[in-house]
Amino acid sequence: MKVTQALKECTVFASMSEEELEKVASSVLEKQYEPGATILQEGDSAEEFLVLQEGKAVVQITLPEMPGEMSRRVTVDIVSRNEVVGWSALVEPYLYTFSVVGLQKVTVLSISGTKLRWLIRDNLKIGYEVMCGLIKVIASRLDETRRVLISERLIMPKTE
Amino acid sequence: MKRQTLRVLLASEYPEARYFLKELVEDEAGVVVVGQAENAGKALTLAQNLRPDIAIIDCYLPYRTGPALMALSRLAGLDTAQVISREIPNTRVMLLPNLDEKVPSEPGLSSEGIAFFSRKTNGSALPFTLREIYRETLTPGTVVFAHVETKEQHVLRQKIANLSDKAILFGGLGIVGGLCLMLTVILAGAGVFLTLTGGVLALLGLVGHGLAHSGRKTPALKNREQESQADQLKIPSAARLGNQSR
């Protein structure tokens, strides 16, 4: 499938014109990951903004070590086709706040964070569209994290 | 020697999914389901108490099945799998990301004979048995990412793979045939060129030959030329004789 067509199907880029999509598409790379592979690592420098094309991946946060409990990861979202991960590439301090692990064989469109930021800076309309889409993504992830906190922190029994 | 019975723990929120998995798992000889959990908390407790050989976990597992009004997360599958594989190293842990898509909607429909576990490598699904997974040496914390496949789907995939193999074969033959044709055309072109060049050269040769013939002197003319040369030689010698007599 054409890259611009694939981007058009993603919420963040859905309202962009063909010309604007061409500009974004010029900095896109296609990447593949095996099941279980870490696609993005929490705390790493956020250099890529990813749009999933195939497969499923989980978004996880690391719970800090508590007395009598080891540090571990908690899933806050499961993402699939046309969903985005790596929004930290557009928001300061440009560090990933989540880890992303492939559940299946995953194909992503990787957009360079730096190039996307330049594009947004030079083209305010694109910037507005991207940020509107991004707010939806962040809001949904925040909601899912809230559910996890309710479920996990209050209910899940501690393991030895 | 008696084969060891494999003890399996199943974890999925939905009873029909657990039923489907139980049928699928116990279809393999020497495998028995020892526990079933509908949420992450129960799966962890059962895993710690029963110490199963294999734990099969649905990716969309809730932390706990709570009151309907409370919005609870149903994403605890991987977290539970990671905790079990890290804390109970002898238990092999399998996570199923696509179970929700495979469980038959009709209640009571058995998975026996129509479904199997597979792992996807390089685009192809490789079926495996639970005993094969159990024999694998896995480091603590490793989770096996597996899929539930149905037979029709597998057959369809095989057909697609066969078709693509045939397409590759015929495509290759087509390319070779095309190259041969191109080579023939090139050689034929070269042959035509050589023939034309030969013709042109032959024509030039004929023209040259014709010109050479038209420029060649006849014997009568040769004789006349020789005579005139001889006359020129005679005149100065007669004049020299005349000067001497004076």
Side-chain angles (χ1 to χ4, degrees), chain A residues 56 58 74-75 151 155 159, chain B residues 63-64 73 78-79 87 97 147:
Chain A
K56 283 180 190 168
V58 294
V74 172
T75 301
S151 319
I155 296 168
T159 56
Chain B
Y63 283 94
R64 186 179 155 181
S73 172
L78 181 59
D79 309 347
E87 295 189 1
H147 284 76

Side-chain angles (χ1 to χ4, degrees), chain B:
Chain B
M1 197 174 75
K2 198 186 169 191
R3 206 160 55 164
Q4 185 202 349
T5 302
L6 287 186
R7 299 160 67 254
V8 177
L9 169 69
L10 303 176
S12 174
E13 180 182 4
Y14 303 102
E16 60 269 30
R18 294 199 301 275
Y19 174 80
F20 176 84
L21 277 179
K22 188 172 184 294
E23 292 278 309
L24 174 56
V25 163
E26 291 186 341
D27 196 29
E28 191 178 324
V31 181
V32 65
V33 173
V34 291
Q36 294 188 36
E38 67 275 16
N39 59 48
K42 193 171 172 186
L44 284 170
T45 310
L46 285 180
Q48 282 164 344
N49 294 339
L50 299 172
R51 305 270 157 173
D53 298 311
I54 299 173
I56 301 174
I57 297 168
D58 181 5
C59 185
Y60 295 94
L61 189 69
Y63 283 94
R64 186 179 155 181
T65 31
L69 286 175
M70 193 188 270
L72 295 173
S73 172
R74 288 183 158 73
L75 308 173
L78 181 59
D79 309 347
T80 313
Q82 283 172 335
V83 171
I84 294 176
S85 64
R86 201 174 57 191
E87 295 189 1
I88 312 166
N90 289 335
T91 299
R92 304 282 186 269
V93 186
M94 256 171 67
L95 187 71
L96 303 174
N98 73 334
L99 186 62
D100 55 323
E101 301 157 18
K102 299 296 166 189
V103 177
S105 51
E106 292 170 46
L109 187 64
S110 169
S111 68
E112 201 178 338
I114 64 147
F116 57 93
F117 295 114
S118 80
R119 275 193 281 195
K120 285 184 181 168
T121 345
N122 300 325
S124 58
L126 296 175
F128 64 86
T129 61
L130 293 180
R131 204 163 285 280
E132 282 168 354
I133 285 290
Y134 183 68
R135 281 199 208 110
E136 277 183 21
T137 317
L138 298 174
T139 49
T142 307
V143 175
V144 176
F145 292 83
H147 284 76
V148 175
E149 296 267 352
T150 48
K151 285 257 158 59
E152 305 89 66
Q153 209 181 18
H154 190 64
V155 169
L156 194 67
R157 272 193 198 165
Q158 285 291 333
K159 273 185 187 169
I160 291 168
N162 289 345
L163 272 176
S164 75
D165 285 351
K166 277 181 189 169
I168 289 166
L169 177 71
F170 286 117
L173 284 174
I175 289 167
V176 171
L179 285 173
C180 287
L181 195 66
M182 270 173 67
L183 198 66
T184 312
V185 168
I186 289 166
L187 287 175
V192 168
F193 175 74
L194 286 173
T195 312
L196 283 173
T197 315
V200 169
L201 286 174
L203 205 65
L204 283 172
L206 278 173
V207 170
H209 186 72
L211 283 172
H213 267 286
S214 65
R216 194 186 288 167
K217 293 159 185 171
T218 57
L221 189 66
K222 264 188 181 174
N223 286 342
R224 213 178 300 146
E225 276 183 1
Q226 280 171 359
E227 279 168 14
S228 72
Q229 279 175 358
D231 287 348
Q232 281 171 359
L233 287 169
K234 276 176 195 167
I235 292 163
S237 56
R240 207 165 42 239
L241 285 170
N243 288 340
Q244 281 176 359
S245 63
R246 250 186 278 156

Side-chain angles (χ1 to χ4, degrees), chain A residues 5-73:
Chain A
Q5 182 64 38
L7 290 173
K8 187 88 182 164
E9 288 176 16
C10 168
T11 338
V12 176
F13 305 104
S15 50
M16 282 190 186
S17 68
E18 195 63 27
E19 193 189 338
E20 289 164 344
L21 286 170
E22 287 287 350
K23 284 182 186 169
V24 178
S26 64
S27 63
V28 166
L29 281 177
E30 193 179 280
K31 292 184 177 179
Q32 287 193 332
Y33 297 89
E34 289 300 314
T38 302
I39 299 168
L40 300 179
Q41 177 69 49
E42 186 180 345
D44 278 3
S45 171
E47 284 160 9
E48 292 175 301
F49 182 81
L50 307 178
V51 181
L52 261 80
Q53 287 300 287
E54 199 187 333
K56 283 180 190 168
V58 294
V59 180
Q60 294 188 309
I61 48 169
T62 309
L63 295 185
E65 246 176 77
M66 305 288 274
E69 204 179 336
M70 285 167 75
S71 151
R72 62 193 168 88
R73 284 177 174 180

Side-chain angles (χ1 to χ4, degrees), chain A residues 1-158:
Chain A
M1 192 198 287
K2 225 178 135 188
V3 175
T4 50
Q5 182 64 38
L7 290 173
K8 187 88 182 164
E9 288 176 16
C10 168
T11 338
V12 176
F13 305 104
S15 50
M16 282 190 186
S17 68
E18 195 63 27
E19 193 189 338
E20 289 164 344
L21 286 170
E22 287 287 350
K23 284 182 186 169
V24 178
S26 64
S27 63
V28 166
L29 281 177
E30 193 179 280
K31 292 184 177 179
Q32 287 193 332
Y33 297 89
E34 289 300 314
T38 302
I39 299 168
L40 300 179
Q41 177 69 49
E42 186 180 345
D44 278 3
S45 171
E47 284 160 9
E48 292 175 301
F49 182 81
L50 307 178
V51 181
L52 261 80
Q53 287 300 287
E54 199 187 333
K56 283 180 190 168
V58 294
V59 180
Q60 294 188 309
I61 48 169
T62 309
L63 295 185
E65 246 176 77
M66 305 288 274
E69 204 179 336
M70 285 167 75
S71 151
R72 62 193 168 88
R73 284 177 174 180
V74 172
T75 301
V76 292
D77 205 357
I78 294 184
V79 285
S80 52
R81 188 175 156 74
N82 295 328
E83 291 189 81
V84 300
V85 283
W87 54 263
S88 307
L90 297 179
V91 183
E92 282 188 49
Y94 310 123
L95 294 174
Y96 291 125
T97 51
F98 299 103
S99 292
V100 179
V101 179
L103 282 176
Q104 298 171 319
K105 189 167 184 172
V106 173
T107 306
V108 296
L109 292 181
S110 161
I111 306 166
S112 156
T114 317
K115 285 186 182 173
L116 195 54
R117 289 200 298 270
W118 285 347
L119 193 66
I120 286 171
R121 192 191 56 191
D122 296 343
N123 189 325
L124 295 179
K125 189 173 174 294
I126 294 181
Y128 176 75
E129 303 291 358
V130 169
M131 286 303 169
C132 281
L134 216 57
I135 288 165
K136 285 182 199 163
V137 173
I138 296 171
S140 135
R141 213 142 286 164
L142 203 61
D143 185 45
E144 207 51 61
T145 310
R146 185 179 62 81
R147 285 173 196 233
V148 170
L149 287 175
I150 295 168
S151 319
E152 207 278 338
R153 273 292 185 218
L154 299 177
I155 296 168
M156 195 165 183
K158 282 182 184 175

